[in-house]
Amino acid sequence: MEYSIARLNDMINWVQKNRHDRFTDFLSMRDQKILLKLIDKYDDIDCRFDGGFKEAERKIACIYPLYLTISDGEHFDVIKGIRIDGDLTKLSHRDVLGSLLGLGIKREKIGDIIKRQEICDVIVHSDIADYVLMNLKKIGREKVIVSSIDLDEVIEPVIEYEDIKTTVASVRLDSIIASGFKISRTKASELIKAGLTEVNWETNISPSFEVKEGDIMSLRGYGRIKLQEILGTSRKGRVYVHILKYK
């Protein structure tokens, strides 16, 4: 569940009124961008994000009045690391998340899930850390052992992706989406207009939007891609592109 703008505004107003810091739960990349835009309207309020490790996507925000000193080098006390050991080779990120949600835990209390072979590290809010340690016994049908770890022990995520090098008529959003997800341009345009596409974690309903190098696009139900590089133009005017499709 994503934070509403009203909920984020309420937290900012609380900080301004009480002159004290306040933590959100884990925010998606989209909600992080929204929070930054909201805070930009205030001269006396700021925020810092922490996801438990450098490359984290889901992060908790500390919203604070500027007169407070918030250290950039320390992790928030409300963030904890949990390691899951067992025969996890056939289990996916979705299986792990599903088992956690099956315990009655809200999604916003769970940060990133990093899985490698038979080890899986999960970043969680301190509110639920002990509950997970006591109650998570299985993922799917596999028995697991759960333990607490320091955040500096969290395994580094390995980003897997498919390399797609192709030509497109232009770097319009519908053209890149069509090539990245191997669907027709007409279908891509329909899905974009239906509000199912995000560019850099913001909904984009314009098929003609011009994509830039480094832009990350997601299409609901299909996944996520990145325009890694624009390689040049052919004699016929088509554009050579390098797209990464995340697995």
Side-chain angles (χ1 to χ4, degrees), residues 80-86 88 100 118-124 128-137 139 144-151 153-154:
K80 302 298 180 184
I82 287 177
R83 175 156 294 171
I84 303 171
D85 290 285
L88 307 178
L100 290 167
E118 296 184 355
I119 293 177
C120 180
D121 289 346
V122 184
I123 309 300
V124 300
I128 63 159
D130 288 342
Y131 180 78
V132 173
L133 291 171
M134 290 187 293
N135 291 282
L136 185 62
K137 307 297 183 183
I139 295 179
V144 295
I145 299 172
V146 184
S147 58
S148 177
I149 59 171
D150 292 334
L151 292 176
E153 297 178 72
V154 173

Tab-separated table of all heavy atoms in Angstrom, residues 80-86 88 100 118-124 128-137 139 144-151 153-154:
chain	number	residue	atom	x	y	z
A	80	LYS	N	15.779	-2.699	10.752
A	80	LYS	CA	16.440	-3.918	11.209
A	80	LYS	C	16.655	-4.874	10.033
A	80	LYS	O	15.926	-4.839	9.038
A	80	LYS	CB	15.604	-4.617	12.287
A	80	LYS	CG	15.321	-3.756	13.513
A	80	LYS	CD	16.595	-3.358	14.245
A	80	LYS	CE	16.298	-2.495	15.467
A	80	LYS	NZ	17.544	-2.037	16.135
A	81	GLY	N	17.653	-5.737	10.174
A	81	GLY	CA	17.941	-6.736	9.153
A	81	GLY	C	17.612	-8.131	9.646
A	81	GLY	O	17.882	-8.476	10.799
A	82	ILE	N	17.018	-8.939	8.768
A	82	ILE	CA	16.665	-10.319	9.101
A	82	ILE	C	17.202	-11.234	8.005
A	82	ILE	O	17.079	-10.931	6.813
A	82	ILE	CB	15.135	-10.481	9.236
A	82	ILE	CG1	14.657	-9.821	10.529
A	82	ILE	CG2	14.722	-11.950	9.202
A	82	ILE	CD1	13.162	-9.866	10.728
A	83	ARG	N	17.808	-12.344	8.409
A	83	ARG	CA	18.314	-13.324	7.435
A	83	ARG	C	17.468	-14.589	7.486
A	83	ARG	O	17.162	-15.109	8.560
A	83	ARG	CB	19.777	-13.659	7.704
A	83	ARG	CG	20.321	-14.773	6.805
A	83	ARG	CD	21.820	-14.686	6.665
A	83	ARG	NE	22.206	-13.467	5.944
A	83	ARG	CZ	23.469	-13.038	5.834
A	83	ARG	NH1	24.448	-13.718	6.405
A	83	ARG	NH2	23.741	-11.937	5.167
A	84	ILE	N	17.120	-15.074	6.296
A	84	ILE	CA	16.345	-16.305	6.166
A	84	ILE	C	17.236	-17.351	5.504
A	84	ILE	O	17.743	-17.138	4.400
A	84	ILE	CB	15.081	-16.075	5.312
A	84	ILE	CG1	14.220	-14.956	5.919
A	84	ILE	CG2	14.276	-17.356	5.186
A	84	ILE	CD1	13.071	-14.519	5.025
A	85	ASP	N	17.453	-18.468	6.187
A	85	ASP	CA	18.273	-19.559	5.656
A	85	ASP	C	17.398	-20.778	5.401
A	85	ASP	O	16.455	-21.051	6.152
A	85	ASP	CB	19.374	-19.936	6.653
A	85	ASP	CG	20.438	-18.867	6.771
A	85	ASP	OD1	21.257	-18.758	5.851
A	85	ASP	OD2	20.443	-18.136	7.784
A	86	GLY	N	17.736	-21.524	4.353
A	86	GLY	CA	16.998	-22.742	4.035
A	86	GLY	C	17.165	-23.081	2.568
A	86	GLY	O	17.991	-22.487	1.865
A	88	LEU	N	16.140	-22.300	-0.453
A	88	LEU	CA	15.371	-21.233	-1.093
A	88	LEU	C	15.610	-21.143	-2.598
A	88	LEU	O	15.108	-20.232	-3.249
A	88	LEU	CB	15.729	-19.880	-0.456
A	88	LEU	CG	15.631	-19.776	1.069
A	88	LEU	CD1	16.055	-18.391	1.525
A	88	LEU	CD2	14.222	-20.093	1.546
A	100	LEU	N	5.642	-13.353	4.247
A	100	LEU	CA	5.659	-12.287	5.256
A	100	LEU	C	4.287	-11.629	5.375
A	100	LEU	O	3.781	-11.411	6.480
A	100	LEU	CB	6.719	-11.246	4.894
A	100	LEU	CG	8.175	-11.702	5.034
A	100	LEU	CD1	9.113	-10.709	4.360
A	100	LEU	CD2	8.550	-11.865	6.504
A	118	GLU	N	20.656	-19.788	-1.386
A	118	GLU	CA	19.951	-20.292	-0.206
A	118	GLU	C	19.911	-19.279	0.934
A	118	GLU	O	19.593	-19.632	2.073
A	118	GLU	CB	20.602	-21.592	0.266
A	118	GLU	CG	20.489	-22.717	-0.759
A	118	GLU	CD	21.046	-24.027	-0.262
A	118	GLU	OE1	21.600	-24.036	0.851
A	118	GLU	OE2	20.923	-25.031	-0.978
A	119	ILE	N	20.237	-18.037	0.639
A	119	ILE	CA	20.194	-16.980	1.654
A	119	ILE	C	19.287	-15.864	1.164
A	119	ILE	O	19.304	-15.496	-0.004
A	119	ILE	CB	21.600	-16.414	1.947
A	119	ILE	CG1	22.486	-17.470	2.611
A	119	ILE	CG2	21.515	-15.183	2.856
A	119	ILE	CD1	23.897	-16.992	2.865
A	120	CYS	N	18.509	-15.330	2.078
A	120	CYS	CA	17.651	-14.199	1.745
A	120	CYS	C	17.674	-13.220	2.914
A	120	CYS	O	17.426	-13.607	4.057
A	120	CYS	CB	16.223	-14.673	1.476
A	120	CYS	SG	15.084	-13.332	1.057
A	121	ASP	N	18.015	-11.978	2.636
A	121	ASP	CA	17.998	-10.939	3.658
A	121	ASP	C	16.802	-10.027	3.426
A	121	ASP	O	16.494	-9.665	2.283
A	121	ASP	CB	19.290	-10.118	3.627
A	121	ASP	CG	20.489	-10.908	4.127
A	121	ASP	OD1	20.279	-11.970	4.742
A	121	ASP	OD2	21.626	-10.468	3.904
A	122	VAL	N	16.153	-9.667	4.516
A	122	VAL	CA	14.971	-8.812	4.443
A	122	VAL	C	15.169	-7.622	5.375
A	122	VAL	O	15.572	-7.791	6.529
A	122	VAL	CB	13.691	-9.573	4.848
A	122	VAL	CG1	12.465	-8.686	4.656
A	122	VAL	CG2	13.547	-10.862	4.049
A	123	ILE	N	14.908	-6.436	4.856
A	123	ILE	CA	14.959	-5.226	5.673
A	123	ILE	C	13.548	-4.963	6.192
A	123	ILE	O	12.591	-4.929	5.413
A	123	ILE	CB	15.451	-4.021	4.847
A	123	ILE	CG1	16.751	-4.364	4.112
A	123	ILE	CG2	15.636	-2.810	5.749
A	123	ILE	CD1	17.897	-4.754	5.014
A	124	VAL	N	13.423	-4.800	7.507
A	124	VAL	CA	12.096	-4.624	8.101
A	124	VAL	C	12.102	-3.474	9.102
A	124	VAL	O	13.154	-3.027	9.561
A	124	VAL	CB	11.610	-5.910	8.813
A	124	VAL	CG1	11.520	-7.068	7.836
A	124	VAL	CG2	12.513	-6.258	9.990
A	128	ILE	N	8.152	-4.825	13.679
A	128	ILE	CA	7.761	-6.204	13.365
A	128	ILE	C	8.924	-7.188	13.403
A	128	ILE	O	8.729	-8.380	13.172
A	128	ILE	CB	7.100	-6.286	11.966
A	128	ILE	CG1	8.111	-5.885	10.878
A	128	ILE	CG2	5.853	-5.420	11.906
A	128	ILE	CD1	7.772	-6.397	9.508
A	129	ALA	N	10.134	-6.710	13.681
A	129	ALA	CA	11.317	-7.572	13.607
A	129	ALA	C	11.184	-8.799	14.511
A	129	ALA	O	11.380	-9.939	14.071
A	129	ALA	CB	12.566	-6.776	13.960
A	130	ASP	N	10.858	-8.597	15.768
A	130	ASP	CA	10.744	-9.723	16.701
A	130	ASP	C	9.599	-10.653	16.311
A	130	ASP	O	9.698	-11.879	16.454
A	130	ASP	CB	10.538	-9.215	18.130
A	130	ASP	CG	11.800	-8.589	18.711
A	130	ASP	OD1	12.895	-8.856	18.172
A	130	ASP	OD2	11.686	-7.823	19.686
A	131	TYR	N	8.524	-10.080	15.805
A	131	TYR	CA	7.371	-10.887	15.388
A	131	TYR	C	7.759	-11.826	14.251
A	131	TYR	O	7.381	-13.006	14.246
A	131	TYR	CB	6.236	-9.959	14.952
A	131	TYR	CG	4.994	-10.681	14.493
A	131	TYR	CD1	4.102	-11.233	15.414
A	131	TYR	CD2	4.700	-10.814	13.139
A	131	TYR	CE1	2.960	-11.901	14.996
A	131	TYR	CE2	3.563	-11.476	12.707
A	131	TYR	CZ	2.694	-12.020	13.643
A	131	TYR	OH	1.570	-12.690	13.227
A	132	VAL	N	8.538	-11.313	13.286
A	132	VAL	CA	8.993	-12.152	12.170
A	132	VAL	C	9.917	-13.251	12.681
A	132	VAL	O	9.804	-14.416	12.280
A	132	VAL	CB	9.704	-11.299	11.103
A	132	VAL	CG1	10.321	-12.193	10.026
A	132	VAL	CG2	8.731	-10.317	10.462
A	133	LEU	N	10.828	-12.899	13.568
A	133	LEU	CA	11.774	-13.880	14.106
A	133	LEU	C	11.051	-15.029	14.809
A	133	LEU	O	11.472	-16.185	14.738
A	133	LEU	CB	12.739	-13.199	15.082
A	133	LEU	CG	13.752	-12.228	14.462
A	133	LEU	CD1	14.486	-11.463	15.554
A	133	LEU	CD2	14.748	-12.968	13.576
A	134	MET	N	9.958	-14.717	15.468
A	134	MET	CA	9.231	-15.736	16.229
A	134	MET	C	8.255	-16.543	15.380
A	134	MET	O	7.972	-17.703	15.687
A	134	MET	CB	8.465	-15.073	17.384
A	134	MET	CG	9.351	-14.546	18.498
A	134	MET	SD	8.391	-13.955	19.925
A	134	MET	CE	7.568	-12.529	19.222
A	135	ASN	N	7.757	-15.962	14.292
A	135	ASN	CA	6.634	-16.591	13.597
A	135	ASN	C	6.903	-17.090	12.183
A	135	ASN	O	6.121	-17.892	11.663
A	135	ASN	CB	5.455	-15.611	13.551
A	135	ASN	CG	4.849	-15.377	14.917
A	135	ASN	OD1	4.094	-16.193	15.428
A	135	ASN	ND2	5.209	-14.249	15.529
A	136	LEU	N	7.970	-16.635	11.542
A	136	LEU	CA	8.231	-17.105	10.182
A	136	LEU	C	8.959	-18.443	10.245
A	136	LEU	O	10.152	-18.504	10.548
A	136	LEU	CB	9.067	-16.080	9.403
A	136	LEU	CG	9.293	-16.418	7.926
A	136	LEU	CD1	7.972	-16.487	7.166
A	136	LEU	CD2	10.227	-15.402	7.270
A	137	LYS	N	8.245	-19.508	9.966
A	137	LYS	CA	8.795	-20.864	10.043
A	137	LYS	C	8.935	-21.511	8.666
A	137	LYS	O	9.762	-22.396	8.475
A	137	LYS	CB	7.899	-21.751	10.919
A	137	LYS	CG	7.607	-21.194	12.308
A	137	LYS	CD	8.864	-21.063	13.146
A	137	LYS	CE	8.531	-20.567	14.558
A	137	LYS	NZ	9.756	-20.361	15.366
A	139	ILE	N	8.502	-20.866	4.158
A	139	ILE	CA	8.204	-20.088	2.959
A	139	ILE	C	7.740	-21.106	1.930
A	139	ILE	O	8.504	-21.977	1.510
A	139	ILE	CB	9.426	-19.307	2.458
A	139	ILE	CG1	9.831	-18.256	3.495
A	139	ILE	CG2	9.114	-18.638	1.122
A	139	ILE	CD1	11.037	-17.452	3.113
A	144	VAL	N	12.329	-22.856	7.129
A	144	VAL	CA	13.417	-21.881	7.115
A	144	VAL	C	13.865	-21.563	8.537
A	144	VAL	O	13.131	-21.767	9.501
A	144	VAL	CB	12.999	-20.575	6.403
A	144	VAL	CG1	12.724	-20.827	4.932
A	144	VAL	CG2	11.783	-19.941	7.079
A	145	ILE	N	15.092	-21.071	8.623
A	145	ILE	CA	15.644	-20.594	9.891
A	145	ILE	C	15.822	-19.086	9.772
A	145	ILE	O	16.417	-18.595	8.805
A	145	ILE	CB	16.999	-21.264	10.195
A	145	ILE	CG1	16.820	-22.783	10.316
A	145	ILE	CG2	17.607	-20.691	11.471
A	145	ILE	CD1	18.131	-23.536	10.432
A	146	VAL	N	15.296	-18.358	10.730
A	146	VAL	CA	15.303	-16.898	10.667
A	146	VAL	C	16.143	-16.342	11.812
A	146	VAL	O	16.014	-16.777	12.958
A	146	VAL	CB	13.863	-16.344	10.754
A	146	VAL	CG1	13.863	-14.835	10.580
A	146	VAL	CG2	12.972	-16.988	9.698
A	147	SER	N	17.007	-15.389	11.493
A	147	SER	CA	17.864	-14.789	12.515
A	147	SER	C	18.025	-13.297	12.263
A	147	SER	O	17.806	-12.806	11.155
A	147	SER	CB	19.237	-15.468	12.529
A	147	SER	OG	19.855	-15.367	11.253
A	148	SER	N	18.427	-12.591	13.297
A	148	SER	CA	18.669	-11.156	13.194
A	148	SER	C	20.110	-10.913	12.757
A	148	SER	O	21.024	-11.623	13.191
A	148	SER	CB	18.409	-10.493	14.548
A	148	SER	OG	18.691	-9.118	14.493
A	149	ILE	N	20.325	-9.936	11.876
A	149	ILE	CA	21.676	-9.592	11.437
A	149	ILE	C	21.870	-8.079	11.514
A	149	ILE	O	20.909	-7.311	11.480
A	149	ILE	CB	21.963	-10.070	9.992
A	149	ILE	CG1	20.971	-9.442	9.004
A	149	ILE	CG2	21.954	-11.578	9.904
A	149	ILE	CD1	21.325	-9.694	7.544
A	150	ASP	N	23.135	-7.666	11.619
A	150	ASP	CA	23.449	-6.245	11.540
A	150	ASP	C	23.279	-5.780	10.101
A	150	ASP	O	23.472	-6.555	9.156
A	150	ASP	CB	24.889	-5.988	11.989
A	150	ASP	CG	25.094	-6.254	13.479
A	150	ASP	OD1	24.107	-6.145	14.234
A	150	ASP	OD2	26.236	-6.576	13.869
A	151	LEU	N	22.964	-4.517	9.928
A	151	LEU	CA	22.734	-4.006	8.578
A	151	LEU	C	23.988	-4.058	7.713
A	151	LEU	O	23.893	-4.174	6.489
A	151	LEU	CB	22.188	-2.576	8.650
A	151	LEU	CG	20.772	-2.459	9.241
A	151	LEU	CD1	20.372	-1.001	9.366
A	151	LEU	CD2	19.757	-3.218	8.389
A	153	GLU	N	25.863	-6.485	7.495
A	153	GLU	CA	25.998	-7.871	7.047
A	153	GLU	C	25.071	-8.197	5.878
A	153	GLU	O	25.139	-9.288	5.308
A	153	GLU	CB	25.685	-8.835	8.193
A	153	GLU	CG	26.611	-8.752	9.391
A	153	GLU	CD	26.185	-9.726	10.483
A	153	GLU	OE1	26.368	-10.949	10.292
A	153	GLU	OE2	25.642	-9.262	11.503
A	154	VAL	N	24.187	-7.279	5.526
A	154	VAL	CA	23.215	-7.533	4.458
A	154	VAL	C	23.948	-7.809	3.148
A	154	VAL	O	24.874	-7.085	2.767
A	154	VAL	CB	22.271	-6.321	4.286
A	154	VAL	CG1	21.380	-6.501	3.059
A	154	VAL	CG2	21.423	-6.133	5.536
